Amino acid sequence: MSERSNPRYVGFAIETTCPRCTRLVPLAPMQASARCGACDHELELSDKLWIGLLRVAEDLDERLASRSPAIEGDRSLGGLRVHYAIWRQPPRCERCEIELDHAAVIEGAPHGSICSGCGEPAIDFPVPDSIASVITTAKQVFVCDPQRFAANPSRRTWTLRLRGRTPAQRRRALEQARTRSPPSG
Ligand SMILES: [Zn+2]
Ligand SMILES: [Zn+2]
């Protein structure tokens, strides 16, 4: 059996400010656009934004802990000023907070499910290739009822499954291997 590293999960809440009316706009995961709930302005979300955000998650990977307090910050990503909160959590129902069933998830394919606690529809789907080819640890996204995501800004969290070593962890492993076995001859 080939070795497969254990997945780990990161929770996200991401928002930006509408350039037209300055209201906060929550960003649903890996989307190409977001619509301001107040003025209907459509914001374009580039792959650069998502790649930059996942880099932040990779950099924070070992420091992530519970949701309160989450690690928060602001970055300019893909031409937008983005506020992020990132924490460690398995995929959860956003409505009732019960852990979503993620044992049977097939990475790389979209999959719908229903929260066993409250019946809320949830989906998981693969990180798009254009993003996953750059951030190779990013695998699968979990989110509750994505249609209602934009309509209700209080519901704006989602979860990412990561697998494998981040660039920093790979670098460290290489350095450790080098100091452990100095070249002979
Ligand atoms: Zn607006
Ligand atoms: Zn639920």
Side-chain angles (χ1 to χ4, degrees):
M1 209 171 99
S2 69
E3 196 194 321
R4 209 164 174 227
S5 57
N6 285 331
R8 52 201 190 275
Y9 295 94
V10 180
F12 289 85
I14 314 297
E15 59 196 13
T16 190
T17 305
C18 174
R20 198 199 267 169
C21 77
T22 73
R23 286 275 283 274
L24 290 176
V25 182
L27 305 185
M30 309 299 150
Q31 301 302 298
S33 66
R35 192 174 288 282
C36 172
C39 77
D40 231 25
H41 182 64
E42 183 147 341
L43 290 85
E44 214 175 289
L45 309 176
S46 67
D47 279 356
K48 266 191 187 161
L49 182 150
W50 296 113
I51 288 167
L53 184 67
L54 297 186
R55 282 224 170 89
V56 172
E58 280 193 323
D59 288 346
L60 295 174
D61 193 32
E62 282 125 338
R63 288 172 48 209
L64 294 175
S66 65
R67 181 162 183 190
S68 45
I71 296 180
E72 296 192 48
D74 292 282
R75 288 277 175 103
S76 286
L77 298 171
L80 288 176
R81 192 78 185 154
V82 173
H83 180 81
Y84 61 82
I86 304 180
W87 62 94
R88 178 77 70 207
Q89 73 160 22
R92 277 185 198 291
C93 172
E94 189 158 29
R95 192 201 259 172
C96 75
E97 301 266 297
I98 275 183
E99 195 168 318
L100 294 168
D101 180 24
H102 54 87
V105 160
I106 299 161
E107 252 171 50
H111 166 251
S113 63
I114 299 285
C115 168
S116 61
C118 72
E120 183 82 347
I123 58 164
D124 58 85
F125 60 90
V127 174
D129 283 344
S130 53
I131 297 165
S133 61
V134 182
I135 308 292
T136 56
T137 55
K139 301 300 181 191
Q140 195 89 354
V141 176
F142 299 75
V143 63
C144 275
D145 195 350
Q147 267 78 39
R148 261 188 273 161
F149 200 98
N152 186 347
S154 68
R155 301 179 52 189
R156 57 194 173 86
T157 68
W158 45 277
T159 308
L160 174 74
R161 177 190 277 187
L162 298 169
R163 191 192 289 283
R165 283 173 175 159
T166 66
Q169 289 162 348
R170 277 200 300 273
R171 253 194 323 273
R172 226 173 303 141
L174 265 177
E175 276 159 22
Q176 275 168 9
R178 224 177 278 139
T179 49
R180 243 184 261 128
S181 52
S184 56

